[in-house]
Amino acid sequence: MPVVWDDDCRLHDPGAEIWIGVRTPAVETAARTDAILEALRGAGAPVVDAVPHDDAALLAVHDAALLDYLASAWAEWDGAGLPADPGQDRVVPYVFAHAGLTSSPAVPTAVWARPGYYCYDTMTLIGPGTWEAARAAADSALTAVDLVLDDAPAAYACCRPPGHHVCRACYGGSCYLNNAAIAAWELASRLGEPVAILDLDAHHGNGTQEIFWEREDVLVGSVHVDPGAGWFPHFAGFAGETGGGANRNRPLAPGSGDDAWLSAVSELAAWAAGAAALVVPLGVDAAGGDPESPLQVTSAGFREAGRILGGLALPTVVVQEGGYDLERIGPLVLETLLGLESALR
Ligand code: SP5
Ligand code: ZN
C-alpha cells in the first residue's frame, strides 16, 4: 500500500521529556520514522510525498486558538529570550489552567505562562521545527485520505509527531495535532457516511475520544493499557466512557498479550463493521519490550490485528502513533500493514 511521507516530519526535535520534574532524553525522535521507512522501503512499499492541504480539517477538529498558539509558540518563546535566561531551550509549561481554578481561565499575557493554557503535561516540548513537523504530519494523514478516496484500498501515513493525545483545545502526550482525528473528520465529511477509528496504540487515544465525544457518526474505539493501573493518560480511557454512544474503550491489564489484545481488537472490529471507512491510529508500543508500555503483544499479534481490521474490507487510512523500540518499530509496522493487505486483497 502507499506510504505517505513528508521530510518535514524530521524537523521536530523535542530534545527532552520532563517527567516528575526530571529532564530525560526524548523518546519520540526522528529515528523512529527513519526506522519505519527503512523497513517499509526494504519490503518494496511505494513511498509518496505528502501533498499540502489547507487548514479546513484542522480547524474542524481543533480550536483556532490552539492552532495559532502552536504555530507561534517557538517564535514567541525564543523572542522572549527564554533559551538564554533562564536557559530553557524548549517551550514547556510551569503552571496549568486546571479545571478547578476557574471555568474561564484568562489566556496569560506572560510568554512563560502561556504554554500551560494549551498544554496539559510537561512531556510535550516545542522547539524550532515542531510546528512545521506537526503540520507535515497532518498533511500526510490528509494525503492518505485522498489516496483511499481515489481508489487505493488502504494507505499508510508515516506521521511524526504522533497525534492521538491532542484534544480539541489542548495538547500533550508527545502530540501536537490529532492526525487521526483530522483524517477521520475529512473522511466523514467527504463520504457523508459514518466512519470508525480503531486505535491500537498502547495508550488510550484520549484526544480523539474528546474530539468526537458527542458524535454518533464517528465511532471511536481504543484498546490500551488500563489507565487505572497507573498508565498515561491516567485521567481517561476507562471502560465506562461511552460518550454519545459511539465511544468504546477496552483497557487491558499490564502484562496482557496477544490473546486479550486480539480479542479486544476483534470485538472493536465487529462493532465498527457498519462504517463506510476506517482510520487506524497505529502505535506499536503495545509490543513486548517497548519502553513506554507493559503490554506484551508479539509481532505475529500485530500481523493478526492487521488481518482482522483488513477483514472489514473498508477504505482504510493507517496513521502512525507511538512505538519507541527503535530495533522493532519498523518490522512491527510492516507486519501490521502486511496483515492488513493480506485481508484487503
Ligand atoms: C503517542 C504516544 O504513544 N504517546 C505516549 C505518551 C506517554 N508518555 C508518558 C510517559 C510517562 C513516563 N515515562 C517515563 C519515562 C521517562 N523518560
Ligand atoms: Zn502510545
Side-chain angles (χ1 to χ4, degrees):
M1 74 180 72
V3 171
V4 184
W5 170 244
D6 189 322
D7 274 323
D8 282 358
C9 287
R10 299 191 87 268
L11 296 174
H12 170 56
D13 177 12
E17 309 172 338
I18 297 169
W19 186 63
I20 58 170
V22 179
R23 188 174 174 117
T24 56
V27 297
E28 202 294 285
T29 60
R32 297 176 57 252
T33 41
D34 292 348
I36 294 170
L37 290 169
E38 183 185 346
L40 300 184
R41 285 197 172 106
V47 178
V48 304
D49 287 338
V51 175
H53 285 68
D54 67 24
D55 288 341
L58 282 68
L59 284 162
V61 308
H62 293 305
D63 261 15
L66 173 63
L67 300 181
D68 289 346
Y69 179 69
L70 290 169
S72 59
W74 170 252
E76 74 175 34
W77 189 267
D78 193 36
L82 298 171
D85 177 11
Q88 177 51 270
D89 67 356
R90 293 293 184 276
V91 178
V92 58
Y94 90 99
V95 62
F96 295 90
H98 191 284
L101 277 171
T102 165
S103 56
S104 54
V107 180
T109 50
V111 170
W112 46 92
R114 285 161 59 77
Y117 185 89
Y118 299 101
C119 187
Y120 61 78
D121 66 29
T122 60
M123 311 275 309
T124 312
L125 280 52
I126 292 177
T130 300
W131 171 250
E132 289 72 17
R135 193 62 185 72
D139 278 332
S140 302
L142 288 167
T143 302
V145 168
D146 293 340
L147 290 168
V148 303
L149 291 180
D150 187 24
D151 280 354
Y156 167 73
C158 191
C159 293
R160 173 187 181 268
H164 72 152
H165 295 305
V166 188
C167 299
R168 174 164 291 278
C170 60
Y171 70 97
S174 306
C175 303
Y176 306 86
L177 294 173
N178 194 321
N179 307 306
I182 288 165
W185 183 88
E186 183 70 16
L187 279 166
S189 150
R190 283 164 64 183
L191 289 169
E193 291 184 86
V195 304
I197 302 171
L198 297 180
D199 189 326
L200 302 184
D201 188 276
H203 305 98
H204 175 239
N206 61 298
T208 318
Q209 167 172 297
E210 188 267 345
I211 286 167
F212 295 119
W213 186 247
E214 299 291 348
R215 268 187 82 159
E216 293 173 19
D217 63 329
V218 181
L219 283 73
V220 179
S222 181
V223 54
H224 47 266
V225 63
D226 183 3
W231 294 86
F232 192 89
H234 302 287
F235 305 113
F238 298 89
E241 297 163 8
T242 53
N247 195 83
R248 191 172 281 208
N249 288 326
R250 288 296 175 264
L252 300 179
S256 296
D258 287 359
D259 287 355
W261 191 73
L262 288 171
S263 81
V265 172
S266 295
E267 191 205 336
L268 292 172
W271 173 65
L278 176 65
V279 174
V280 182
L282 174 63
V284 294
D285 41 8
D290 190 282
E292 296 294 325
S293 141
L295 297 178
Q296 299 291 331
V297 177
T298 68
S299 181
F302 276 96
R303 184 183 280 244
E304 178 63 10
R307 209 189 55 74
I308 291 165
L309 298 178
L312 292 174
L314 297 171
T316 300
V317 172
V318 182
V319 176
Q320 186 62 41
E321 298 287 353
Y324 305 96
D325 180 344
L326 293 177
E327 297 298 317
R328 298 191 60 214
I329 185 170
L332 288 165
V333 170
L334 175 61
E335 285 298 314
T336 312
L337 300 185
L338 288 173
L340 193 74
E341 275 188 327
S342 74
L344 275 174
R345 76 162 55 94

